Amino acid sequence: AQKITQTQPGMFVQEKEAVTLDCTYDTSDQSYGLFWYKQPSSGEMIFLIYQGSYDEQNATEGRYSLNFQKARKSANLVISASQLGDSAMYFCAMREGRGRNAGNMLTFGGGTRLMVKP
Amino acid sequence: GAVVSQHPSRVICKSGTSVKIECRSLDFQATTMFWYRQFPKQSLMLMATSNEGSKATYEQGVEKDKFLINHASLTLSTLTVTSAHPEDSSFYICSARDLPTRYGYTFGSGTRLTVV
């Protein structure tokens, strides 16, 4: 079974509007971390935002916010005021296990290609 | 911030030859390095996990004799694609598990391998 599911292969958004990218996950661990990365055409992975499973507040980083609904096992990324430079692939990822020393790898979803229209 | 330098960024090689990809952590010690492969328009798939001074752990379906991983020091991990074939053409990217970086992962910039 997929551990990370991103149901939107592609999304269009008008410049300056907000957009939500969906991510659902599956884990039996109580302690886990959820990440969002941006991958432009150059291929580099750019860290956007992190949400820990025990964090009570939704994470925010500038124009990025994470809508964390633990009971529904969803961690949607919200990008406000979209810019042309936001056009890229976006990946949701999960680290299972306890603590930063656990050495666990990230498992990635299939990605969503976001295209911002001028 | 923490940086992982990955080289080369692009490489074209002939079928049957070997290619080495290096990932260096420049300002921190990476005890664990993850190697991912990404085919066009697909996600990152974990190939193997390497820990400094020990043998790499390969994911199911990844040929350990074909994808040789060496993590001989805390700042250098290498992936060698041996006897490369066109189907090995892909984007390879490393990720270091590090403590200084926020939330603990730093990615290299990736290597685009084309086997002709």
Side-chain angles (χ1 to χ4, degrees), chain B residues 65-115:
Chain B
D65 293 332
K66 181 168 187 61
F67 298 100
L68 300 179
I69 291 173
N70 185 285
H71 195 157
S73 78
L74 288 171
T75 58
L76 176 63
S77 178
T78 61
L79 166 67
T80 301
V81 183
T82 63
S83 187
H85 289 105
E87 56 265 32
D88 299 324
S89 298
S90 187
F91 187 69
Y92 294 87
I93 191 165
C94 61
S95 173
R97 187 86 167 99
D98 76 273
L99 297 182
T101 300
R102 195 177 186 189
Y103 314 123
Y105 297 91
T106 302
F107 283 83
S109 54
T111 297
R112 196 164 301 281
L113 170 64
T114 304
V115 185

Side-chain angles (χ1 to χ4, degrees), chain A residues 59-111:
Chain A
T60 60
E61 291 281 352
R63 294 188 298 114
Y64 304 107
S65 60
L66 201 151
N67 184 0
F68 182 46
Q69 298 188 45
K70 193 170 181 177
R72 298 178 61 182
K73 293 189 175 179
S74 75
N76 298 340
L77 176 70
V78 180
I79 305 175
S80 63
S82 297
Q83 301 172 356
L84 295 178
D86 293 335
S87 294
M89 282 292 291
Y90 288 80
F91 290 99
C92 179
M94 178 172 64
R95 181 202 69 226
E96 294 176 280
R98 178 174 296 277
R100 302 177 73 197
N101 296 319
N104 296 104
M105 71 286 195
L106 293 177
T107 302
F108 288 85

Side-chain angles (χ1 to χ4, degrees), chain B residues 43-55:
Chain B
S43 186
L44 281 74
M45 298 301 295
L46 181 68
M47 299 175 65
T49 302
S50 72
N51 291 295
E52 184 265 338
S54 60
K55 289 185 179 180

